[in-house]
Amino acid sequence: MTQPSVPATATEKCPDPVALPDRDLTEAETTNLWGRDRAALKDCDGRRDAAVKAAGPQP
């Protein structure tokens, strides 16, 4: 049985959440940092999805 190959991007570590300063954030900072975390999460989920598809049944 041949082991399916997993895309190299799927093995990359997901980024850590944005480091928050030890102070209250402005509304703009909150929105910006939240958006960066959400974009990174979406990208990481895409890599994981590619790995699952690559490891799944092959036609």
Side-chain angles (χ1 to χ4, degrees):
M1 179 174 194
T2 304
Q3 186 75 356
S5 62
V6 175
T9 57
T11 63
E12 294 175 9
K13 180 187 177 299
C14 293
D16 291 331
V18 175
L20 299 176
D22 190 21
R23 60 174 173 76
D24 290 343
L25 298 174
T26 66
E27 185 175 337
E29 289 173 319
T30 301
T31 302
N32 179 278
L33 296 174
W34 176 82
R36 286 173 44 190
D37 279 342
R38 296 298 299 169
L41 180 60
K42 183 177 178 183
D43 183 52
C44 189
D45 281 343
R47 290 196 311 263
R48 264 195 295 255
D49 186 47
V52 169
K53 287 179 182 175
Q58 303 298 312

